Amino acid sequence: MHWRMALLGFIGLMFAGEAPSSVAEPAAVQVPYRLTATKHILVRAKINGRGPYNLVLDTGAPVVVLARKLAEPLGITPDGGHWADLKRLEFEGGVVMENVATRFDDLYQLEGMNGLGLAGAEIHGLVGYPVLARFRIEYDFTKAKLAWTPLAAKPDELARRPGGAMGSAGLQALGTVMKGLGKFLGADQLAASKPRGFAGMSLAVENEQLRVSNVVAGAPADRAGLRVGDIVRQANGRDVTTIEMFGITLATLTPAQALKLLIVRGDVERDVSIELGEGF
């Protein structure tokens, strides 16, 4: 009898010493990023195997949003509500997602930033909450990469139908609120005392030349006759060869002031004067 009790005691001690089983947490993926001149977090991603494209991480964006001009080169035909599923979204570093619901839309905020050259790089879209909430992301701005750890729980999917949580009216309302925010807060609450001038154009560096890559329809640059492909040599009498140099000149101007450009179209130099609108 005594030996049986001793054996049971030994077995009890043996099992008591074992640690409870646990499921190993997935390894974090190191995603390279950069802070833009406007302090936005910019990552690069390939979409359906093409790219890379520059995307801003924005937890305030309710979906992934891409510029409409990307649909054609990506071989995507959005539906009537400007929605489509990305077959593959691959972030630099190795984070891969499939069948990502995306809206193709020209958000005026991105058009404005690209037109002003504020970020120092062309922004192609936003990565919103439904993607970011699938990861625990560690932000350490002393490091060159962000640690993305996949989470088991997934965020609730947002409605995609027009009139739902993310119908077209929802995005338009979001844009309207953001556009009026600066006026509501008042000049003393803003970082700059005066609104920036808005040209409505995007630039890219090609062959060490500053080339117009996009002109927003109906914007000041469009009304002034600027065209995609024009090479910008000077801005208000100063030679410009980088987007940053152009942005510095533009940042000093306010609405209704003139941005005078010396451009080359074909083999002919032209003077273009753009009366700036109101930026943000």
Side-chain angles (χ1 to χ4, degrees), residues 12-135:
L13 288 172
M14 182 176 65
F15 280 98
E18 290 187 355
S21 61
S22 61
V23 178
E25 184 179 79
V29 180
Q30 301 297 316
V31 177
Y33 77 98
R34 59 169 285 194
L35 284 179
T36 68
T38 50
K39 306 307 179 187
H40 289 85
I41 300 173
L42 198 71
V43 298
R44 300 198 307 170
K46 287 187 176 181
I47 301 172
N48 293 354
R50 302 183 184 183
Y53 297 99
N54 295 324
L55 305 176
V56 166
L57 304 187
D58 185 357
T59 55
V63 290
V64 173
V65 183
L66 296 178
R68 290 187 184 182
K69 67 179 183 180
L70 296 186
E72 183 175 351
L74 290 174
I76 294 174
T77 302
D79 64 19
H82 306 293
W83 289 99
D85 288 335
L86 305 181
K87 292 181 180 179
R88 184 179 176 89
L89 178 61
E90 181 179 0
F91 294 96
E92 186 177 13
V95 172
V96 178
M97 303 184 69
E98 296 181 344
N99 300 320
V100 179
T102 300
R103 183 176 173 86
F104 286 82
D105 212 335
D106 292 327
L107 296 182
Y108 86 94
Q109 296 90 346
L110 295 188
E111 291 289 339
M113 289 188 66
N114 287 333
L116 290 168
L118 294 179
E122 183 177 6
I123 300 174
H124 299 106
L126 304 176
V127 181
Y129 173 80
V131 168
L132 301 178
R134 295 172 184 263
F135 302 87

Side-chain angles (χ1 to χ4, degrees), residues 32 42 51 57 67 71 73 75 80 113 127 142 147 155 179 184 190 222 236 239 241:
L42 198 71
L57 304 187
M113 289 188 66
V127 181
T142 66
K179 187 174 182 179
F184 175 77
L190 300 175
D222 184 32
N236 280 10
D239 292 340
T241 57

Side-chain angles (χ1 to χ4, degrees), residues 204-211 231-233 240-242:
V205 177
E206 298 180 9
N207 299 322
E208 299 183 352
Q209 294 180 318
L210 205 55
R211 187 179 298 272
I231 296 173
V232 179
R233 291 281 175 80
V240 288
T241 57
T242 67

